[in-house]
Amino acid sequence: MTEEEYVSAFERFSDCMTASGNDLFAVEKKDYLITFSYSGDAASDGSYQRCYVAEFEQVDTEWQLANYGASESAEFLRACLESRGIVPVDRAEDLAPQAEMAGIDLKDCAK
């Protein structure tokens, strides 16, 4: 999947929300993700769920899984492991289990 496909799916989702009378707000492209907020009305009238599932959920999930290794969480875990002399594994989804197996309390990494 390309970033263009991800952005296009988000735009369809945003257009669906606008058509339902519930615009998204605080839309921001941050790192590899598009972040956003929506109103309580969009949650209560079902438009968020309807639009998200129909236009963006599958693409969003696939994109996040494919790019998790670039996330702030993955970078945090890599730095935590390295600060303790441990070489991080390649797969981002294996970083937290690696830290756990090494007996690292992730709260200590935030200090």
Side-chain angles (χ1 to χ4, degrees):
M1 168 178 304
T2 67
E3 183 173 8
E4 183 178 283
E5 291 168 317
Y6 172 70
V7 170
S8 179
F10 177 80
E11 289 171 355
R12 288 191 307 274
F13 164 57
S14 180
D15 290 347
C16 179
M17 292 293 291
T18 298
S20 74
N22 293 296
D23 287 331
L24 299 174
F25 57 95
V27 176
E28 182 179 347
K29 178 98 165 65
K30 184 176 180 186
D31 299 322
Y32 68 97
L33 288 178
I34 299 172
T35 61
F36 59 90
S37 294
Y38 56 94
S39 69
D41 289 343
S44 63
D45 73 10
S47 59
Y48 170 78
Q49 184 69 16
R50 184 178 61 257
C51 290
Y52 183 76
V53 168
E55 303 296 345
F56 194 48
E57 180 179 41
Q58 195 169 18
V59 171
D60 188 32
T61 300
E62 184 178 330
W63 181 257
Q64 287 191 48
L65 290 172
N67 291 282
Y68 176 75
S71 74
E72 289 178 19
S73 298
E75 291 305 316
F76 169 80
L77 289 168
R78 283 187 183 98
C80 180
L81 289 162
E82 288 171 348
S83 73
R84 286 156 175 77
I86 300 169
V87 177
V89 294
D90 290 332
R91 291 174 25 131
E93 59 270 21
D94 294 335
L95 292 167
Q98 182 185 21
E100 186 178 321
M101 287 178 58
I104 298 171
D105 184 343
L106 297 180
K107 290 180 273 184
D108 293 337
C109 293
K111 296 177 183 175

